[in-house]
Amino acid sequence: MSLKVAVQMDPLETIKIAGDSTFALMMAAQSRGHTLYEYGPGDLSYDRGQVRALARPVTVRAEQGDHFTAGEQEVIDLGDDIDVVLMRQDPPFDLAYITATHLLERIAHRTLVVNDPAAVRNAPEKLFVLDYAQFMPATLITRKLDEVRAFQAEHGEIVVKPLYGNAGSAVFHVGRADKNLAALIELFGEVWREPFMVQAFLPDVSEGDKRIVLVDGVPTGAINRLPKSGEIRSNLAAGGAAHATELTPKEREICDVLGPELAARGLIFVGIDVIAGHLTEINVTSPTGIVAIDRFNGTDTPGLIWDAIEKRIAARG
């Protein structure tokens, strides 16, 4: 099976290929004989029923700084000319991101979009996870200081974070007696129009925040991300370090419950975050971590993702 693949992503020039999941997916696609195009979300357009992109044909190679060759930009019809679109630009999950999902949804009946754009739109990381509250730490979503104070009085140390942030940005640990809570809530209210998330602090975060990858609903590997000294954030983008790990029985239970729904929604590549047996996020917009997982485990997660994509393409006839 030879496919034409368009990757909607951040500029190829800016990525660090050593740990980049999108680049790993592109390398795997190319090794299977698939043709690659690259474009940014700002290159999308709609005209009389057609969704187009101003894209570059590219070939990729594992040489940082000389990791791709691009041809001249051309207009491609994503509905007629392309078999698969990988929606892989980084969040924030804002109106621009949502608009891209609306445009891509219009061609999803002809072209396989990974992950499914309507499902991505309806499953923001810190809200979709509320469907599985039985696995979560105590959680509050609000804009009201008095509600945060009451939550803190009940749970002690808390974590405050924006609903649509990414890579650990603007995540605050607030101690029981911290006198900055009111100022912090005021700041969140000025910077973001939407509510924010407050969760009971999990002290075991010092032992790691586990990223588990599911491919078409099946867990395929995990890494344990440890925060650097003096930090609570274990995101690799925030300086966390990846370590090899295995799934616990509790984590397998979480995956068993989530997996069928993820597959049914067309969420082929998903990363969930688990701290001390508590589910904290379900990442569907542009999950990462597969390069580190494969390095530790000797697995081929990009290959598994392409197996799942090709199976879905074949099922479409």
Side-chain angles (χ1 to χ4, degrees):
M1 179 183 293
S2 180
L3 303 174
K4 290 185 177 180
V5 180
V7 187
Q8 181 174 300
M9 63 182 296
D10 299 319
L12 260 172
E13 290 85 350
T14 66
I15 65 173
K16 298 178 180 178
I17 67 171
D20 192 272
S21 295
T22 302
F23 190 80
L25 287 169
M26 296 174 77
M27 288 283 290
Q30 184 173 273
S31 72
R32 293 179 176 224
H34 302 329
T35 301
L36 293 172
Y37 295 85
E38 173 259 353
Y39 71 93
D43 296 316
L44 279 174
S45 62
Y46 170 89
D47 181 21
R48 289 168 287 187
Q50 294 180 306
V51 178
R52 303 184 181 120
L54 183 62
R56 301 184 292 181
V58 294
T59 57
V60 292
R61 53 191 169 272
E63 299 176 21
Q64 180 66 54
D66 188 29
H67 50 277
F68 74 97
T69 299
E72 293 295 321
Q73 284 186 314
E74 58 186 270
V75 176
I76 56 174
D77 186 315
L78 295 180
D80 290 339
D81 301 336
I82 296 297
D83 299 300
V84 181
V85 172
L86 298 182
M87 188 168 60
R88 291 290 306 171
Q89 82 268 23
D90 285 341
F93 189 82
D94 55 13
L95 283 174
Y97 208 110
I98 290 171
T99 299
T101 68
H102 279 291
L103 292 176
L104 292 177
E105 186 181 5
R106 294 181 175 276
I107 53 110
H109 63 291
R110 291 184 286 167
T111 301
L112 181 65
V113 182
V114 180
N115 286 319
D116 180 86
V120 167
R121 188 171 65 246
N122 292 331
E125 274 83 350
K126 296 180 183 68
L127 292 176
F128 180 30
V129 70
L130 300 178
D131 288 355
Y132 305 95
Q134 70 269 33
F135 298 122
M136 296 179 66
T139 298
L140 170 71
I141 295 177
T142 186
R143 285 178 62 87
K144 299 184 181 301
L145 175 60
D146 58 345
E147 292 184 350
V148 179
R149 287 196 187 282
F151 186 87
Q152 185 187 37
E154 179 179 357
H155 299 286
E157 296 181 79
I158 59 175
V159 172
V160 183
K161 50 189 173 182
L163 276 182
Y164 301 111
N166 68 299
S169 61
V171 175
F172 290 86
H173 173 207
V174 182
R176 182 182 292 272
D178 197 310
K179 296 181 180 179
N180 293 304
L181 180 60
L184 177 63
I185 300 309
E186 179 181 317
L187 176 63
F188 266 63
E190 291 179 356
V191 174
W192 292 285
R193 297 177 62 186
E194 63 271 5
F196 45 85
M197 176 176 275
V198 186
Q199 290 184 316
F201 175 65
L202 299 173
D204 286 344
V205 70
S206 62
E207 298 177 13
D209 176 355
K210 197 169 288 189
R211 164 57 59 88
I212 304 169
V213 167
L214 296 95
V215 177
D216 224 4
V218 178
T220 60
I223 51 171
N224 193 37
R225 302 171 298 183
L226 293 174
K228 64 183 180 181
S229 178
E231 269 276 9
I232 65 160
R233 300 177 300 171
S234 54
N235 309 70
L236 300 184
H243 296 265
T245 190
E246 300 288 338
L247 297 189
T248 66
K250 182 65 175 182
E251 291 159 353
R252 292 195 178 278
E253 178 190 354
I254 293 171
C255 292
D256 288 345
V257 172
L258 267 63
E261 181 63 22
L262 299 176
R265 292 187 181 212
L267 296 169
I268 293 175
F269 177 12
V270 175
I272 67 171
D273 296 337
V274 180
I275 301 173
H278 292 85
L279 178 66
T280 58
E281 291 189 16
I282 303 174
N283 297 274
V284 304
T285 49
S286 184
T288 61
I290 60 176
V291 175
I293 287 172
D294 290 344
R295 183 170 66 248
F296 288 124
N297 299 337
T299 47
D300 179 18
T301 307
L304 295 174
I305 293 170
W306 280 108
D307 286 346
I309 291 171
E310 290 168 5
K311 181 179 178 180
R312 289 196 176 228
I313 291 284
R316 287 184 168 205

